[in-house]
Amino acid sequence: MVKDIVYTVRVEFGDCDPARIVWFPNFFRWMDAASRHFFVECGVPPWHETEKTLGVIGTPIVDTHARFVKTASYGDMLELHTSIAEWRGKSFVQRYRVMRAADLILECDEVRIFAARKPGDERGIRAVEIPPEIRRLCE
Amino acid sequence: MVKDIVYTVRVEFGDCDPARIVWFPNFFRWMDAASRHFFVECGVPPWHETEKTLGVIGTPIVDTHARFVKTASYGDMLELHTSIAEWRGKSFVQRYRVMRAADLILECDEVRIFAARKPGDERGIRAVEIPPEIRRLCE
Amino acid sequence: MVKDIVYTVRVEFGDCDPARIVWFPNFFRWMDAASRHFFVECGVPPWHETEKTLGVIGTPIVDTHARFVKTASYGDMLELHTSIAEWRGKSFVQRYRVMRAADLILECDEVRIFAARKPGDERGIRAVEIPPEIRRLCE
Amino acid sequence: MVKDIVYTVRVEFGDCDPARIVWFPNFFRWMDAASRHFFVECGVPPWHETEKTLGVIGTPIVDTHARFVKTASYGDMLELHTSIAEWRGKSFVQRYRVMRAADLILECDEVRIFAARKPGDERGIRAVEIPPEIRRLCE
């Protein structure tokens, strides 16, 4: 049994495009929030704290594959079911199922890493081994 | 030889997150603009015109798979190379390679459809056969 | 006593910029959602319905004046207190006070109109007299 | 004669809302980019450099007043004319006129400060005296 954590989104007028449906980049915005929300709900501290304790500044994405099943529009309430489908050495697969009541709107698998700053490189980042204390909280 | 059309993006401060790199949903924002730009450059009229002539209101996405290779940050100029990798019956694959000079930042394959409104359904959409006049302009 | 309706926002990582504070255009995104939320909570139907009954397609903004008092960052919960400070002939003043617990983050006065489409102009809009049935619901 | 620097924006489909006009928070997004662009064009280094040399991490906004004159929609090219209308002790007024060819779309006055981090406060910021080397470059 993996942890499945729900993040709720109200779709707003401004999230929709001239075709009157959600403009799809907004789904990635919401999934990114659901990703962080997953860690927060599991008890992982905010990244500005883990930066000091573990060097971890966040979980940047390296791969994402989304399948859009139904459209959504403003007034809809969406539930983003978020879980970790797989742990790898330096990466993990975060899985989302975006539901409107019983309707599947979107499903998505992301590969993310735990990132630290590159020493001596203001903007560079590198993958670190998955911190066992974080993994333990999320399982 | 497929048409390869370049859409240029200036990365701005507000496109970056507290890790000081581009917040990834913005890449989907830019790819969506590059998608429409591709059709405009090929001579396809804006969707509010094709809605009247062909019933086509846009090219919503049904599937996307992106691989993030390098990070980008504000001050960067990105070139989104956009092409149509495959035509299918009611869908097509739009391919993006996001470059910063010679560096590959991101590559992405999207499956999109040509959409029309569903009769009697204010917000529903349905896929239509690829209009041959549009395909001809894009090849 | 005017109606004061609260819209709640969770500040996300991606809402913040490299200075690690909310990137200010996001406040306008949230205030626009709070504006529509205000009407919904007052019992006004969604704009795609009022378009058919009253011709009203929304409440576009004509003037906004915001004062930024304190910064916010991810993890913060914000409450947007929204009210209508003044009704005029064809416009109204919508007022926002964005709070984080007892801290005032931002205050803003917007002038908005009730808009209808211009006949024979696909994208033009015009102001209409404030529909009395809408005003009644909001007072 | 004040410096007036133009920042050009292509309005995209995804910048527009179901009323088919630019969703107004996007104008603030573009004005923020035009603000930074103004400093870059004047020769001011990027903020991650001035953070090291002058302690300045950016120019957060403290007040903005915008007047929306005409709507815009996708396909439009907008020119944001940007200047500094006034220098004060610890703040300045940045002025924008957003034009579509000869049409005024929007005008806006922002009050901004030059910000530095607060010592011992991860996310706090404070206003600093306007660095004379920056002001000189901008006049």
Side-chain angles (χ1 to χ4, degrees):
Chain A
M1 269 292 297
V2 295
K3 280 191 184 165
D4 177 277
I5 288 176
V6 176
Y7 179 83
T8 304
V9 166
R10 247 172 324 213
V11 181
E12 299 295 351
F13 183 80
D15 298 323
C16 299
D17 64 24
R20 283 178 238 149
I21 56 176
V22 171
W23 189 48
F24 83 89
N26 288 314
F27 285 112
F28 291 98
R29 194 156 66 74
W30 298 327
M31 288 190 282
D32 192 58
S35 171
R36 201 183 68 85
H37 179 71
F38 177 88
F39 291 108
V40 169
E41 288 295 300
C42 289
V44 179
W47 306 132
H48 60 86
E49 286 186 26
T50 58
E51 181 169 5
K52 282 175 277 186
T53 54
L54 300 166
V56 169
I57 59 168
T59 55
I61 202 168
V62 294
D63 190 288
T64 187
H65 189 175
R67 197 166 66 87
F68 300 83
V69 181
K70 278 181 191 276
T71 62
S73 191
Y74 64 99
D76 289 347
M77 290 298 292
L78 303 180
E79 296 201 325
L80 284 76
H81 291 258
T82 307
S83 57
I84 292 184
E86 189 187 342
W87 294 94
R88 300 170 179 173
K90 288 189 168 183
S91 66
F92 60 97
V93 177
Q94 202 152 25
R95 178 163 294 164
Y96 308 89
R97 286 176 63 82
V98 182
M99 310 295 294
R100 181 184 48 216
D103 281 346
L104 176 64
I105 301 298
L106 164 69
E107 53 190 3
C108 182
D109 271 12
E110 287 177 348
V111 182
R112 289 177 175 258
I113 57 166
F114 286 95
R117 296 208 184 282
K118 262 191 193 145
D121 176 352
E122 194 58 34
R123 302 190 301 179
I125 58 170
R126 64 192 173 83
V128 296
E129 293 287 330
I130 289 174
E133 50 272 69
I134 290 185
R135 177 165 173 176
R136 221 164 14 238
L137 288 166
C138 299
E139 278 179 330
Chain B
M1 269 292 297
V2 295
K3 280 191 185 168
D4 178 278
I5 288 176
V6 176
Y7 180 82
T8 304
V9 165
R10 252 173 320 215
V11 181
E12 299 295 351
F13 183 80
D15 299 323
C16 299
D17 63 24
R20 282 179 238 147
I21 57 176
V22 171
W23 189 47
F24 82 88
N26 289 313
F27 285 113
F28 291 98
R29 193 155 66 74
W30 299 327
M31 288 190 282
D32 191 58
S35 171
R36 201 183 69 86
H37 179 72
F38 177 88
F39 291 108
V40 169
E41 288 294 300
C42 289
V44 179
W47 306 131
H48 60 86
E49 287 187 24
T50 59
E51 180 169 5
K52 282 174 278 185
T53 54
L54 301 166
V56 169
I57 60 168
T59 55
I61 201 167
V62 293
D63 189 288
T64 188
H65 189 174
R67 198 167 64 88
F68 300 83
V69 181
K70 278 180 191 277
T71 61
S73 191
Y74 64 99
D76 288 347
M77 291 297 293
L78 303 181
E79 296 201 325
L80 284 77
H81 291 258
T82 307
S83 58
I84 292 184
E86 189 186 340
W87 294 94
R88 300 169 179 172
K90 288 189 168 183
S91 67
F92 60 96
V93 178
Q94 202 153 24
R95 178 163 295 163
Y96 307 89
R97 287 175 61 82
V98 181
M99 309 295 293
R100 180 183 50 215
D103 281 345
L104 176 65
I105 301 297
L106 164 69
E107 52 190 3
C108 182
D109 271 12
E110 288 177 349
V111 181
R112 288 176 176 258
I113 57 166
F114 286 95
R117 296 209 183 281
K118 262 193 193 142
D121 177 352
E122 194 58 33
R123 301 190 301 180
I125 59 170
R126 66 192 173 81
V128 296
E129 293 287 329
I130 290 174
E133 50 272 70
I134 291 184
R135 178 165 173 176
R136 221 165 14 238
L137 287 166
C138 299
E139 280 179 329
Chain C
M1 269 292 297
V2 296
K3 280 191 185 166
D4 178 278
I5 288 176
V6 175
Y7 179 83
T8 304
V9 166
R10 252 174 319 215
V11 181
E12 300 294 352
F13 183 79
D15 298 323
C16 299
D17 64 23
R20 282 179 237 149
I21 57 176
V22 171
W23 189 47
F24 83 89
N26 289 314
F27 286 113
F28 291 98
R29 194 155 66 74
W30 299 327
M31 287 190 282
D32 192 58
S35 172
R36 200 183 70 85
H37 179 73
F38 177 89
F39 291 107
V40 169
E41 288 295 299
C42 289
V44 179
W47 305 132
H48 60 87
E49 287 187 25
T50 58
E51 180 169 4
K52 281 174 279 185
T53 54
L54 300 166
V56 168
I57 60 169
T59 55
I61 201 168
V62 293
D63 190 288
T64 187
H65 189 174
R67 196 167 66 88
F68 300 84
V69 181
K70 278 181 191 277
T71 62
S73 191
Y74 64 98
D76 288 347
M77 290 298 292
L78 303 182
E79 296 200 325
L80 284 75
H81 291 258
T82 307
S83 58
I84 292 185
E86 190 187 341
W87 294 93
R88 300 169 181 175
K90 289 190 168 182
S91 66
F92 60 97
V93 178
Q94 202 153 23
R95 179 164 293 165
Y96 308 89
R97 287 176 61 82
V98 181
M99 308 296 294
R100 182 183 49 215
D103 281 345
L104 176 64
I105 302 297
L106 164 69
E107 53 191 1
C108 182
D109 271 12
E110 286 177 350
V111 181
R112 288 177 176 257
I113 57 166
F114 286 95
R117 296 209 183 280
K118 262 192 192 143
D121 176 353
E122 195 58 33
R123 302 190 299 180
I125 58 171
R126 65 193 172 81
V128 296
E129 293 287 328
I130 290 173
E133 50 271 70
I134 290 184
R135 178 164 172 176
R136 220 162 18 236
L137 289 165
C138 299
E139 279 179 331
Chain D
M1 270 291 298
V2 294
K3 280 191 185 166
D4 178 277
I5 288 176
V6 176
Y7 179 83
T8 304
V9 166
R10 250 173 322 214
V11 180
E12 300 294 352
F13 184 79
D15 298 323
C16 299
D17 63 24
R20 283 180 237 147
I21 56 176
V22 171
W23 189 46
F24 83 88
N26 288 313
F27 285 113
F28 291 98
R29 194 156 66 74
W30 299 326
M31 288 190 282
D32 192 57
S35 171
R36 200 184 68 86
H37 179 73
F38 177 89
F39 291 108
V40 169
E41 288 294 299
C42 289
V44 179
W47 307 132
H48 59 87
E49 287 187 25
T50 58
E51 180 168 6
K52 282 175 278 186
T53 54
L54 300 166
V56 169
I57 60 168
T59 55
I61 201 167
V62 293
D63 190 288
T64 187
H65 189 174
R67 198 166 65 86
F68 299 83
V69 181
K70 278 180 191 278
T71 61
S73 191
Y74 64 99
D76 288 347
M77 291 296 294
L78 303 181
E79 295 201 325
L80 284 76
H81 291 258
T82 307
S83 58
I84 292 184
E86 189 187 341
W87 294 94
R88 300 169 179 174
K90 288 189 168 182
S91 67
F92 60 97
V93 177
Q94 202 153 24
R95 178 164 294 164
Y96 307 89
R97 287 175 62 82
V98 181
M99 310 295 294
R100 180 182 52 216
D103 281 346
L104 176 65
I105 301 297
L106 164 69
E107 53 191 3
C108 182
D109 271 12
E110 288 177 349
V111 181
R112 289 176 176 258
I113 57 166
F114 287 95
R117 297 209 183 280
K118 262 192 193 144
D121 176 352
E122 194 59 32
R123 301 190 301 179
I125 59 171
R126 65 192 173 82
V128 296
E129 294 286 329
I130 290 173
E133 50 273 69
I134 290 185
R135 177 164 174 177
R136 219 162 19 235
L137 287 166
C138 299
E139 280 179 330

